[in-house]
Amino acid sequence: MAATMLGQGKNAWQAEIDAAAELADFYRFNVSYAEEIYSRQPTLNEKGQSGKTDWRPLEGFVYAVSPFNFTAIGGNLVSGPALLGNVVLWKPSPSNIYASYLLYKILREAGLPPNVIQFINGDAELVTKVALEHRELSAINFTGSSDVFRSLYGKIADGVKAKKYRDFPRLVAETSGKNFHLIHQSADISNAVKHTIRASFEYSGQKCSACSRIYIPESRAKEFFSEMKQELSQVKMGHPEDFQSFLGPVINQAAFDKITSAMEKANKDNHLQLAVGGGYNSSKGYFIEPTIYTSDTLDHPLFDQELFGPVLVAYVYPDAEFDSLLGAIDKQGGGFALTGAIFANDQAAIRKAENELRYAAGNFYTNCKTTGAVIGQQSFGGARSSGTNDKAGSANMLMRFTAPRTLKEEYHSLNNVLYPSNA
Ligand SMILES: NC(=O)c1ccc[n+]([C@@H]2O[C@H](COP(=O)([O-])OP(=O)(O)OC[C@H]3O[C@@H](n4cnc5c(N)ncnc54)[C@H](O)[C@@H]3O)[C@@H](O)[C@H]2O)c1
Ligand SMILES: N[C@@H](CCC=O)C(=O)O
């Protein structure tokens, strides 16, 4: 936890969720998911024969590439495949080396044999080039941004075309999001505000599941923003070691520059208005205030761009346009489809959103925030440009790292070559 607080800038609460709770959950639940997979056996066998499925590990190695923001994600990317018997090459994020290496050392100390998981720091492109050149590459287990995954996908496709690999490598990825909160006129606004603050601003918006676009009905907008300002006035930004801090810095200078330059652009944009926050300071740590812009148009690029920081864009819609808004929400979001939430008390509105937004999010929540999936309760992942949707925290994900072999044994001899119909 301490390594995650210091290395990733998480406060104690967030570090506990990540490096203690979620990591332990991954380890415990993966064991039961492995048992679930091994117990999948043929239910029918003809008389005089037996059959079973041999759940082999992949024949080659798994290349696992982890992001900076969750110590637990790196731990899961490598331990899931290793648990099923695979050899894993682990390339951690350069911004999460300390906690990842500590985790690797803990696994070794706990009895993991040498070289089952191989920890390789270094230049991302160079390490990847070497891994992707290898004939025995059997899978990629990636979590990070969609653009990096696209480039890996392209390189693997070229390798497959050139017959570089023994296998067709499996590609498993959880990637970016532009996640939404949709507020209906029937919503409990106070609940929606509190959940939005957590979803958009906890850990400075650096969760792939963070809410970064919100749709608010005109009739409730005043109440929403007034309560938002009131609640945010109690939120403290500061060093993770200060237990009063609700949010800390963003991860590094590059992230700070990317987010603040988007904010500077937004400040000059006639379609956007700064509703909350807007301040930032990098004199000691890369701090950015919780910030909300309202847009006077739905057709704005900020509804599509993942900034991965504490910046939320809001659209206030005429209440009567709820139905048509669903189509717009589905279309925007930069092609991502990771998480989304509706806040409403009207059951018909909830069901409508659930149906119309069926492909807009891999994790869809009602009356609660887009962040905070719990292993064993909400398996996690999205499709479209948010990844391969294999669902972290489920047996499905582990299944991708198996090469099942079908075994059949007969206990009688064959008496004839000719078929009965040949007679
Ligand atoms: N869907 C999920 O479950 C999930 C979880 C966490 C983070 N994310 C996403 O990850 C991103 C933030 O994390 P990040 O900044 O660490 O992502 P990133 O894509 O910059 O880096 C992820 C990993 O890819 C490596 N990498 C970077 N460039 C590479 C290249 N050219 N070739 C090979 N490897 C390369 C990095 O070193 C790192 O290990 C966000 O987009 C976020 O949405 C998604
Ligand atoms: N699974 C986490 C997000 C992981 C990505 O950063 C959540 O549900 O909030």
Side-chain angles (χ1 to χ4, degrees), residues 65-70 73 91-94 124-125 128 142-146 148 151-152 155 174-177 207-208 306 308 338 380 386:
V65 182
S66 53
F68 79 82
N69 65 340
F70 267 79
I73 291 180
K91 198 214 78 58
S93 161
E125 293 207 13
T128 300
F142 176 85
T143 302
S145 57
S146 302
V148 171
S151 81
L152 296 182
K155 286 173 188 163
E174 296 298 338
T175 64
S176 313
K207 294 188 182 186
C208 56
E306 187 195 52
F308 222 54
L338 193 53
F380 187 80
S386 286

Side-chain angles (χ1 to χ4, degrees), residues 77-105:
L77 288 184
V78 297
S79 66
L83 183 71
L84 294 161
N86 293 283
V87 167
V88 185
L89 192 65
W90 181 7
K91 198 214 78 58
S93 161
S95 298
N96 186 337
I97 289 172
Y98 182 37
S100 300
Y101 187 58
L102 193 60
L103 182 53
Y104 169 72
K105 286 208 299 190

Side-chain angles (χ1 to χ4, degrees), residues 26 33-34 41 61 73 90 102 104 117 127 139 165 171 184 229 234 236 245 255 272 296 313 336 363 374:
F26 272 132
Y33 297 141
Q41 294 294 332
F61 70 95
I73 291 180
W90 181 7
L102 193 60
Y104 169 72
I117 293 173
V127 176
Y165 311 116
L171 300 176
H184 184 253
K229 284 176 190 159
Q234 296 168 46
K236 185 177 171 196
S245 302
L272 298 175
D296 65 11
V313 61
F336 304 121
N363 283 51
V374 176

